[in-house]
Amino acid sequence: MKTKKSFLWLAFLILATIWILARRNQKAEFNTASGFVFGTVYKIAYQHDADLKPEIEAELKRFDQSLSPFNDSSVISRVNRNEELVTDSFFQTCFNRSMEISRETKGAFDITIAPLANAWGFGFKKGAFPDSLMIDSLLQITGYEKVKLENGKVVKQDPRVMLSCSAVAKGYSVDVIARLLDRKGIKNYMVDIGGEVVVKGKNATGDLWRIGINKPYDDSLAVKQDIQVVLNLTDLGMATSGNYRNYYYKDGKKYAHTIDPRTGYPVQHSILSSTVIAEDCMTADALATSFMVMELEEAEKFCKANPMIDAYFIYSGENGEFKTYYTDGMKRYMPDAK
Protein backbone atom coordinates (compact mmCIF):
# COMPACT_ATOMS: atom_id res chain seq x y z
CA MET A 1 0.00 0.00 0.00
CA LYS A 2 2.80 2.38 0.92
CA THR A 3 4.55 1.69 -2.39
CA LYS A 4 1.32 2.46 -4.27
CA LYS A 5 0.88 5.82 -2.47
CA SER A 6 4.48 6.74 -3.22
CA PHE A 7 3.94 5.92 -6.86
CA LEU A 8 0.79 8.08 -6.99
CA TRP A 9 2.59 11.02 -5.38
CA LEU A 10 5.47 10.66 -7.84
CA ALA A 11 3.05 10.56 -10.78
CA PHE A 12 1.28 13.63 -9.44
CA LEU A 13 4.56 15.54 -9.08
CA ILE A 14 5.62 14.60 -12.60
CA LEU A 15 2.29 15.75 -14.06
CA ALA A 16 2.41 18.98 -12.04
CA THR A 17 5.93 19.67 -13.26
CA ILE A 18 4.90 19.06 -16.88
CA TRP A 19 1.92 21.40 -16.45
CA ILE A 20 4.07 24.17 -14.94
CA LEU A 21 6.66 23.87 -17.71
CA ALA A 22 3.93 23.91 -20.34
CA ARG A 23 2.47 27.05 -18.81
CA ARG A 24 5.87 28.72 -18.82
CA ASN A 25 6.46 27.84 -22.46
CA GLN A 26 2.99 28.90 -23.50
CA LYS A 27 3.15 32.28 -25.20
CA ALA A 28 1.03 35.04 -23.76
CA GLU A 29 -1.78 36.32 -25.94
CA PHE A 30 -1.64 39.82 -27.42
CA ASN A 31 -3.67 42.38 -25.54
CA THR A 32 -4.82 45.73 -26.89
CA ALA A 33 -5.55 49.05 -25.24
CA SER A 34 -7.16 51.98 -27.02
CA GLY A 35 -8.68 55.31 -26.18
CA PHE A 36 -8.56 59.07 -26.65
CA VAL A 37 -5.71 61.26 -25.46
CA PHE A 38 -4.09 64.60 -26.39
CA GLY A 39 -6.92 65.33 -28.83
CA THR A 40 -6.25 62.15 -30.79
CA VAL A 41 -6.66 58.37 -30.55
CA TYR A 42 -4.19 55.83 -29.27
CA LYS A 43 -3.92 52.09 -29.88
CA ILE A 44 -1.44 49.79 -28.19
CA ALA A 45 -0.92 46.08 -28.86
CA TYR A 46 1.34 44.09 -26.56
CA GLN A 47 2.08 40.44 -25.73
CA HIS A 48 1.36 40.07 -22.04
CA ASP A 49 -1.04 38.22 -19.75
CA ALA A 50 -2.29 41.24 -17.83
CA ASP A 51 -4.51 44.15 -18.84
CA LEU A 52 -2.21 47.17 -18.63
CA LYS A 53 -4.67 49.84 -19.77
CA PRO A 54 -5.08 51.37 -16.27
CA GLU A 55 -1.30 51.78 -15.92
CA ILE A 56 -0.98 53.09 -19.48
CA GLU A 57 -3.65 55.72 -18.95
CA ALA A 58 -2.19 56.73 -15.60
CA GLU A 59 1.17 57.33 -17.31
CA LEU A 60 -0.49 59.32 -20.11
CA LYS A 61 -2.32 61.44 -17.54
CA ARG A 62 0.96 62.15 -15.76
CA PHE A 63 2.50 63.10 -19.11
CA ASP A 64 -0.42 65.40 -19.91
CA GLN A 65 0.08 67.11 -16.54
CA SER A 66 3.58 68.00 -17.67
CA LEU A 67 3.47 68.95 -21.35
CA SER A 68 -0.08 69.76 -22.45
CA PRO A 69 -0.59 73.49 -23.14
CA PHE A 70 -4.36 72.82 -23.13
CA ASN A 71 -4.14 71.80 -19.45
CA ASP A 72 -4.08 74.99 -17.36
CA SER A 73 -2.38 73.24 -14.45
CA SER A 74 0.34 71.54 -16.51
CA VAL A 75 4.00 72.33 -16.07
CA ILE A 76 4.28 73.93 -19.52
CA SER A 77 1.21 76.12 -18.91
CA ARG A 78 2.72 77.33 -15.66
CA VAL A 79 6.02 78.02 -17.42
CA ASN A 80 4.14 80.06 -20.03
CA ARG A 81 2.53 82.07 -17.21
CA ASN A 82 6.04 82.70 -15.82
CA GLU A 83 5.31 80.96 -12.54
CA GLU A 84 8.32 80.11 -10.41
CA LEU A 85 8.73 76.33 -10.42
CA VAL A 86 11.19 73.48 -10.88
CA THR A 87 10.06 71.51 -13.91
CA ASP A 88 9.59 67.73 -13.87
CA SER A 89 11.61 65.06 -15.69
CA PHE A 90 9.16 64.82 -18.61
CA PHE A 91 9.47 68.53 -19.31
CA GLN A 92 13.25 68.59 -18.89
CA THR A 93 13.84 65.63 -21.21
CA CYS A 94 11.58 67.13 -23.87
CA PHE A 95 13.10 70.60 -23.52
CA ASN A 96 16.71 69.41 -23.71
CA ARG A 97 16.14 67.20 -26.76
CA SER A 98 14.19 69.99 -28.46
CA MET A 99 17.10 72.38 -27.99
CA GLU A 100 19.48 69.82 -29.51
CA ILE A 101 17.27 69.35 -32.57
CA SER A 102 16.83 73.12 -32.94
CA ARG A 103 20.61 73.47 -33.15
CA GLU A 104 20.93 70.51 -35.53
CA THR A 105 18.24 71.88 -37.88
CA LYS A 106 19.48 75.49 -37.62
CA GLY A 107 16.18 76.68 -36.21
CA ALA A 108 13.78 74.82 -38.49
CA PHE A 109 12.51 73.19 -35.30
CA ASP A 110 11.73 75.52 -32.42
CA ILE A 111 9.46 75.07 -29.39
CA THR A 112 9.30 78.85 -28.84
CA ILE A 113 6.99 79.07 -31.85
CA ALA A 114 3.89 79.20 -29.63
CA PRO A 115 3.10 82.93 -30.12
CA LEU A 116 3.27 82.53 -33.91
CA ALA A 117 1.17 79.34 -33.89
CA ASN A 118 -1.44 81.08 -31.76
CA ALA A 119 -1.48 84.13 -34.03
CA TRP A 120 -2.10 82.00 -37.13
CA GLY A 121 -4.89 80.06 -35.39
CA PHE A 122 -3.03 76.76 -34.99
CA GLY A 123 -1.98 77.00 -31.34
CA PHE A 124 -3.51 76.55 -27.92
CA LYS A 125 -4.87 80.10 -28.09
CA LYS A 126 -6.82 81.35 -31.09
CA GLY A 127 -5.60 84.56 -32.67
CA ALA A 128 -6.74 86.80 -35.50
CA PHE A 129 -5.15 86.58 -38.92
CA PRO A 130 -1.80 88.41 -38.40
CA ASP A 131 -0.37 91.16 -40.56
CA SER A 132 3.31 91.66 -41.34
CA LEU A 133 3.78 94.10 -38.46
CA MET A 134 2.45 91.55 -35.97
CA ILE A 135 4.69 88.82 -37.42
CA ASP A 136 7.74 91.08 -37.12
CA SER A 137 6.79 91.79 -33.51
CA LEU A 138 6.27 88.13 -32.63
CA LEU A 139 9.60 87.18 -34.19
CA GLN A 140 11.26 89.33 -31.54
CA ILE A 141 10.07 86.88 -28.86
CA THR A 142 10.62 83.71 -30.93
CA GLY A 143 13.85 81.73 -31.10
CA TYR A 144 15.27 78.81 -29.17
CA GLU A 145 18.30 80.88 -28.16
CA LYS A 146 15.99 83.07 -26.07
CA VAL A 147 15.27 80.36 -23.49
CA LYS A 148 17.30 77.92 -21.42
CA LEU A 149 17.01 75.52 -18.49
CA GLU A 150 19.00 76.16 -15.30
CA ASN A 151 18.70 73.79 -12.33
CA GLY A 152 15.35 72.60 -13.65
CA LYS A 153 13.95 76.12 -14.03
CA VAL A 154 13.14 77.80 -17.35
CA VAL A 155 14.96 81.08 -17.87
CA LYS A 156 13.61 83.41 -20.58
CA GLN A 157 15.28 86.43 -22.15
CA ASP A 158 11.80 87.97 -22.42
CA PRO A 159 8.81 87.02 -20.23
CA ARG A 160 6.59 87.05 -23.35
CA VAL A 161 8.40 83.97 -24.71
CA MET A 162 5.98 81.03 -24.76
CA LEU A 163 6.62 77.35 -25.38
CA SER A 164 4.70 74.70 -27.29
CA CYS A 165 5.96 71.14 -27.55
CA SER A 166 3.12 70.01 -29.83
CA ALA A 167 5.59 69.07 -32.58
CA VAL A 168 7.55 66.72 -30.32
CA ALA A 169 5.49 65.79 -27.25
CA LYS A 170 3.24 63.26 -28.97
CA GLY A 171 6.25 61.31 -30.20
CA TYR A 172 7.81 61.56 -26.76
CA SER A 173 4.62 60.19 -25.16
CA VAL A 174 4.94 57.14 -27.41
CA ASP A 175 8.47 56.58 -26.08
CA VAL A 176 7.20 56.96 -22.51
CA ILE A 177 4.60 54.20 -22.95
CA ALA A 178 7.15 52.02 -24.77
CA ARG A 179 9.47 52.32 -21.77
CA LEU A 180 6.59 51.35 -19.48
CA LEU A 181 6.13 48.16 -21.51
CA ASP A 182 9.89 47.56 -21.45
CA ARG A 183 9.85 47.74 -17.65
CA LYS A 184 7.21 45.02 -17.69
CA GLY A 185 9.60 42.80 -19.65
CA ILE A 186 7.37 42.87 -22.74
CA LYS A 187 9.30 41.94 -25.88
CA ASN A 188 6.64 42.38 -28.56
CA TYR A 189 4.50 45.49 -28.83
CA MET A 190 3.29 48.41 -30.93
CA VAL A 191 2.46 51.82 -29.43
CA ASP A 192 0.54 54.18 -31.73
CA ILE A 193 -0.57 57.61 -30.52
CA GLY A 194 -2.10 59.73 -33.26
CA GLY A 195 -0.01 58.05 -35.96
CA GLU A 196 3.31 58.33 -34.13
CA VAL A 197 4.62 54.82 -33.52
CA VAL A 198 7.14 52.71 -31.65
CA VAL A 199 7.36 49.02 -32.51
CA LYS A 200 9.37 46.26 -30.88
CA GLY A 201 9.79 42.56 -31.64
CA LYS A 202 7.10 40.86 -33.74
CA ASN A 203 3.36 41.14 -34.20
CA ALA A 204 0.74 38.53 -33.24
CA THR A 205 1.48 36.44 -36.35
CA GLY A 206 5.23 36.42 -35.68
CA ASP A 207 6.02 38.87 -38.48
CA LEU A 208 7.51 42.35 -38.51
CA TRP A 209 5.07 45.13 -37.75
CA ARG A 210 3.45 46.61 -40.89
CA ILE A 211 2.88 50.36 -40.72
CA GLY A 212 1.38 52.35 -43.57
CA ILE A 213 2.04 55.89 -44.76
CA ASN A 214 -1.10 57.67 -45.96
CA LYS A 215 -1.39 59.52 -49.24
CA PRO A 216 -1.47 63.23 -48.38
CA TYR A 217 -4.89 64.19 -49.71
CA ASP A 218 -6.32 67.48 -48.47
CA ASP A 219 -8.73 66.00 -45.94
CA SER A 220 -9.42 67.91 -42.73
CA LEU A 221 -11.94 65.26 -41.61
CA ALA A 222 -9.45 62.38 -42.06
CA VAL A 223 -11.96 60.46 -44.20
CA LYS A 224 -9.51 59.39 -46.89
CA GLN A 225 -7.09 56.76 -45.64
CA ASP A 226 -5.46 55.56 -48.87
CA ILE A 227 -2.03 54.05 -48.28
CA GLN A 228 1.01 55.29 -50.19
CA VAL A 229 3.39 52.58 -48.96
CA VAL A 230 3.56 49.93 -46.22
CA LEU A 231 6.75 49.59 -44.19
CA ASN A 232 7.96 46.46 -42.35
CA LEU A 233 9.41 47.64 -39.05
CA THR A 234 10.72 46.57 -35.67
CA ASP A 235 12.69 48.08 -32.77
CA LEU A 236 12.40 51.75 -33.78
CA GLY A 237 10.25 54.86 -33.75
CA MET A 238 8.38 56.42 -36.66
CA ALA A 239 6.53 59.72 -37.05
CA THR A 240 4.76 61.51 -39.88
CA SER A 241 4.04 65.20 -40.27
CA GLY A 242 1.91 66.74 -43.00
CA ASN A 243 -0.13 69.76 -44.03
CA TYR A 244 -3.06 67.83 -45.46
CA ARG A 245 -5.24 67.62 -42.32
CA ASN A 246 -4.77 70.88 -40.41
CA TYR A 247 -5.23 73.93 -42.64
CA TYR A 248 -7.66 76.64 -43.71
CA TYR A 249 -8.31 78.89 -46.70
CA LYS A 250 -8.44 82.67 -46.61
CA ASP A 251 -9.02 84.81 -49.72
CA GLY A 252 -8.52 81.72 -51.85
CA LYS A 253 -5.12 80.89 -50.37
CA LYS A 254 -4.33 77.82 -48.29
CA TYR A 255 -2.64 78.29 -44.90
CA ALA A 256 -1.29 75.11 -43.33
CA HIS A 257 -0.36 74.55 -39.70
CA THR A 258 3.39 74.13 -40.30
CA ILE A 259 4.95 77.50 -39.53
CA ASP A 260 8.56 78.34 -40.28
CA PRO A 261 9.91 79.77 -37.00
CA ARG A 262 12.62 81.55 -38.98
CA THR A 263 10.18 83.63 -41.07
CA GLY A 264 7.00 83.54 -38.96
CA TYR A 265 4.83 82.41 -41.88
CA PRO A 266 3.18 79.08 -42.78
CA VAL A 267 5.29 77.14 -45.26
CA GLN A 268 4.27 77.23 -48.93
CA HIS A 269 6.65 74.72 -50.53
CA SER A 270 6.11 71.37 -52.23
CA ILE A 271 6.57 68.84 -49.39
CA LEU A 272 3.15 67.41 -48.48
CA SER A 273 4.17 64.85 -45.89
CA SER A 274 7.34 63.83 -44.12
CA THR A 275 7.87 60.46 -42.46
CA VAL A 276 10.96 59.84 -40.33
CA ILE A 277 12.36 56.65 -38.80
CA ALA A 278 14.73 56.99 -35.86
CA GLU A 279 15.82 55.12 -32.74
CA ASP A 280 13.16 56.94 -30.70
CA CYS A 281 9.83 58.51 -31.60
CA MET A 282 10.58 61.88 -30.02
CA THR A 283 13.44 62.42 -32.46
CA ALA A 284 11.38 61.12 -35.37
CA ASP A 285 8.50 63.45 -34.48
CA ALA A 286 10.66 66.57 -34.18
CA LEU A 287 12.55 65.85 -37.40
CA ALA A 288 9.36 65.10 -39.34
CA THR A 289 8.18 68.60 -38.44
CA SER A 290 11.60 70.08 -39.22
CA PHE A 291 11.54 68.59 -42.72
CA MET A 292 8.06 70.05 -43.32
CA VAL A 293 9.58 73.46 -42.55
CA MET A 294 12.57 72.95 -44.83
CA GLU A 295 12.47 73.06 -48.60
CA LEU A 296 12.86 69.63 -50.23
CA GLU A 297 16.49 70.29 -51.20
CA GLU A 298 17.40 71.35 -47.64
CA ALA A 299 15.63 68.30 -46.17
CA GLU A 300 17.44 65.93 -48.57
CA LYS A 301 20.77 67.53 -47.68
CA PHE A 302 20.11 67.07 -43.96
CA CYS A 303 19.27 63.37 -44.46
CA LYS A 304 22.42 62.72 -46.44
CA ALA A 305 24.50 64.34 -43.70
CA ASN A 306 22.77 62.23 -41.01
CA PRO A 307 22.71 58.59 -42.24
CA MET A 308 21.29 57.33 -38.91
CA ILE A 309 18.01 59.02 -39.90
CA ASP A 310 15.76 57.62 -42.62
CA ALA A 311 12.99 59.63 -44.25
CA TYR A 312 10.23 59.31 -46.82
CA PHE A 313 8.88 62.52 -48.40
CA ILE A 314 5.78 62.88 -50.53
CA TYR A 315 5.80 66.14 -52.45
CA SER A 316 3.83 67.85 -55.18
CA GLY A 317 5.13 67.73 -58.74
CA GLU A 318 4.80 70.49 -61.33
CA ASN A 319 1.34 69.26 -62.35
CA GLY A 320 0.17 68.60 -58.80
CA GLU A 321 0.90 64.86 -58.93
CA PHE A 322 2.36 63.01 -55.94
CA LYS A 323 6.09 62.42 -56.16
CA THR A 324 8.38 60.76 -53.62
CA TYR A 325 11.89 60.97 -52.28
CA TYR A 326 13.28 58.53 -49.74
CA THR A 327 16.68 57.83 -48.28
CA ASP A 328 18.65 54.75 -49.30
CA GLY A 329 18.24 53.34 -45.79
CA MET A 330 14.45 53.46 -46.11
CA LYS A 331 14.59 50.70 -48.73
CA ARG A 332 15.28 48.07 -46.05
CA TYR A 333 11.76 48.67 -44.71
CA MET A 334 10.13 48.53 -48.16
CA PRO A 335 10.16 44.95 -49.51
CA ASP A 336 8.94 46.03 -52.94
CA ALA A 337 11.43 48.88 -53.37
CA LYS A 338 14.05 48.45 -56.04
Side-chain angles (χ1 to χ4, degrees):
M1 179 67 78
K2 194 172 182 180
T3 303
K4 185 176 181 181
K5 284 183 178 181
S6 299
F7 175 78
L8 290 173
W9 271 109
L10 180 61
F12 173 78
L13 289 172
I14 291 172
L15 289 172
T17 301
I18 292 172
W19 182 83
I20 290 170
L21 291 173
R23 287 284 295 175
R24 285 184 176 177
N25 292 328
Q26 183 181 1
K27 290 184 178 179
E29 295 294 326
F30 269 80
N31 272 315
T32 60
S34 60
F36 192 75
V37 68
F38 314 142
T40 189
V41 295
Y42 76 85
K43 183 177 181 181
I44 301 166
Y46 56 95
Q47 190 176 28
H48 193 60
D49 289 326
D51 177 9
L52 299 178
K53 184 172 182 178
E55 293 183 61
I56 288 168
E57 295 209 325
E59 193 77 341
L60 290 172
K61 185 176 181 180
R62 198 165 68 90
F63 188 90
D64 182 86
Q65 191 62 35
S66 176
L67 287 165
S68 172
F70 299 97
N71 181 344
D72 286 340
S73 64
S74 70
V75 171
I76 196 169
S77 294
R78 295 177 64 193
V79 166
N80 285 337
R81 291 195 299 266
N82 296 311
E83 294 184 18
E84 182 78 13
L85 78 157
V86 176
T87 57
D88 67 343
S89 61
F90 283 150
F91 181 94
Q92 292 173 28
T93 298
C94 188
F95 182 94
N96 289 330
R97 185 64 181 126
S98 294
M99 291 298 111
E100 291 172 353
I101 293 175
S102 291
R103 290 189 289 270
E104 291 168 7
T105 61
K106 299 179 180 179
F109 180 82
D110 196 326
I111 62 172
T112 68
I113 201 170
L116 287 165
N118 289 337
W120 285 104
F122 295 114
F124 50 86
K125 293 182 179 179
K126 297 299 180 184
F129 193 81
D131 58 20
S132 59
L133 289 176
M134 179 181 287
I135 296 301
D136 290 342
S137 176
L138 293 176
L139 284 173
Q140 301 306 308
I141 58 171
T142 303
Y144 67 94
E145 308 98 331
K146 295 180 172 70
V147 64
K148 59 184 177 180
L149 204 58
E150 290 184 350
N151 299 317
K153 295 182 179 181
V154 175
V155 180
K156 305 176 183 179
Q157 287 185 9
D158 188 307
R160 295 173 297 169
V161 172
M162 297 179 71
L163 308 180
S164 173
C165 296
S166 60
V168 64
K170 191 166 59 171
Y172 180 30
S173 71
V174 176
D175 292 329
V176 167
I177 298 304
R179 286 201 292 269
L180 170 64
L181 301 181
D182 288 338
R183 291 196 298 270
K184 298 287 183 181
I186 298 172
K187 304 298 183 185
N188 301 299
Y189 61 73
M190 177 195 69
V191 181
D192 179 345
I193 301 180
E196 322 300 20
V197 177
V198 165
V199 288
K200 184 175 182 178
K202 303 291 182 65
N203 63 20
T205 62
D207 299 315
L208 297 180
W209 296 93
R210 292 171 57 81
I211 309 296
I213 299 175
N214 287 339
K215 291 181 181 293
Y217 295 119
D218 278 358
D219 179 22
S220 60
L221 298 178
V223 174
K224 295 181 180 180
Q225 297 287 338
D226 293 355
I227 299 297
Q228 171 77 21
V229 65
V230 175
L231 308 178
N232 293 343
L233 308 172
T234 190
D235 301 336
L236 46 76
M238 169 182 145
T240 297
S241 183
N243 282 328
Y244 52 98
R245 296 257 166 87
N246 193 1
Y247 60 89
Y248 61 80
Y249 284 91
K250 183 176 175 63
D251 299 330
K253 186 175 181 179
K254 178 182 176 182
Y255 293 89
H257 80 286
T258 302
I259 298 168
D260 188 336
R262 302 167 297 188
T263 67
Y265 288 87
V267 298
Q268 299 288 336
H269 55 63
S270 62
I271 299 180
L272 302 173
S273 82
S274 162
T275 296
V276 175
I277 290 176
E279 289 186 358
D280 61 274
C281 198
M282 177 164 53
T283 297
D285 195 8
L287 287 178
T289 299
S290 303
F291 295 148
M292 289 300 304
V293 169
M294 299 175 186
E295 294 280 356
L296 181 61
E297 184 178 348
E298 184 183 357
E300 289 183 23
K301 184 177 179 181
F302 184 95
C303 291
K304 289 174 180 176
N306 296 272
M308 295 297 291
I309 300 297
D310 285 310
Y312 188 105
F313 304 138
I314 305 175
Y315 63 97
S316 179
E318 293 181 1
N319 299 317
E321 76 278 15
F322 290 161
K323 302 190 75 174
T324 62
Y325 166 85
Y326 49 85
T327 58
D328 287 339
M330 185 65 76
K331 295 176 184 177
R332 78 189 81 166
Y333 311 115
M334 303 160 56
D336 298 327
K338 296 180 180 179

